[in-house]
Amino acid sequence: PWPKMVSGGPRVGMVYSDAWIDWNRRHGERRGELTEALKGMRAIDDRFKATGREGLPEAYLLRFSPEGNGRAVLANGNPDTADHTAVFVPGTTSHLGSVGGDVKRMTDLWRATAEFPGTGSVSTVTWLGYDAPQDIVKDSPFSHYANDGAPAF
């Protein structure tokens, strides 16, 4: 039931069948969730591809799930063997689709630590391991988000 591309002279458009409209009405929200999950997966894959560039260490995917707001726990360097570990827990409005910016923050932090010789090995971890509050006004005042996520952390 996928839409078909049609061309009528200089104009190009999409023709939606009744089956597509019905499917989109029933599954449009899930399609949006999967689109966001794919965006997050691409950001994680980009970090893996960056290993070795500019001295970046190996990346370790410690947890992943597209369910809910998504889960991704990604480390720069091995957290099991590092002398020092920093963990960033994204907060309100974070979700798998926006994890690329969070991964970049922790990659930048790892790079900054590499500038200081003699500090030992470092691992920086992006921990998107819970469903963070999505609305700063109606969700963030409540502690249950943190309380529910604490055992996983």
Side-chain angles (χ1 to χ4, degrees), residues 28-144:
E29 184 175 323
R30 181 68 178 144
R31 184 183 63 179
E33 291 170 3
L34 293 173
T35 299
E36 288 297 304
L38 184 57
K39 185 176 173 185
M41 286 185 263
R42 286 186 178 129
I44 292 166
D45 186 50
D46 288 346
R47 172 53 191 93
F48 280 114
K49 289 176 182 174
T51 297
R53 282 189 270 175
E54 300 177 28
L56 279 179
E58 286 185 324
Y60 294 81
L61 185 60
L62 307 175
R63 183 173 182 202
F64 179 83
S65 172
E67 299 306 314
N69 292 336
R71 307 281 186 272
V73 179
L74 184 73
N76 296 297
N78 188 339
D80 291 333
T81 61
D83 296 317
H84 308 283
T85 303
V87 180
F88 173 61
V89 180
T92 305
T93 72
S94 61
H95 54 85
L96 189 56
S98 65
V99 78
D102 302 323
V103 169
K104 182 182 180 322
R105 282 182 192 88
M106 293 312 281
T107 302
D108 291 346
L109 179 61
W110 186 92
R111 282 188 182 111
T113 64
E115 296 176 9
F116 297 99
T119 58
S121 61
V122 174
S123 176
T124 59
V125 179
T126 303
W127 192 85
L128 179 60
Y130 76 117
D131 284 332
Q134 293 301 297
D135 187 290
I136 197 160
V137 174
K138 42 178 217 185
D139 295 337
S140 65
F142 301 102
S143 63
H144 71 86

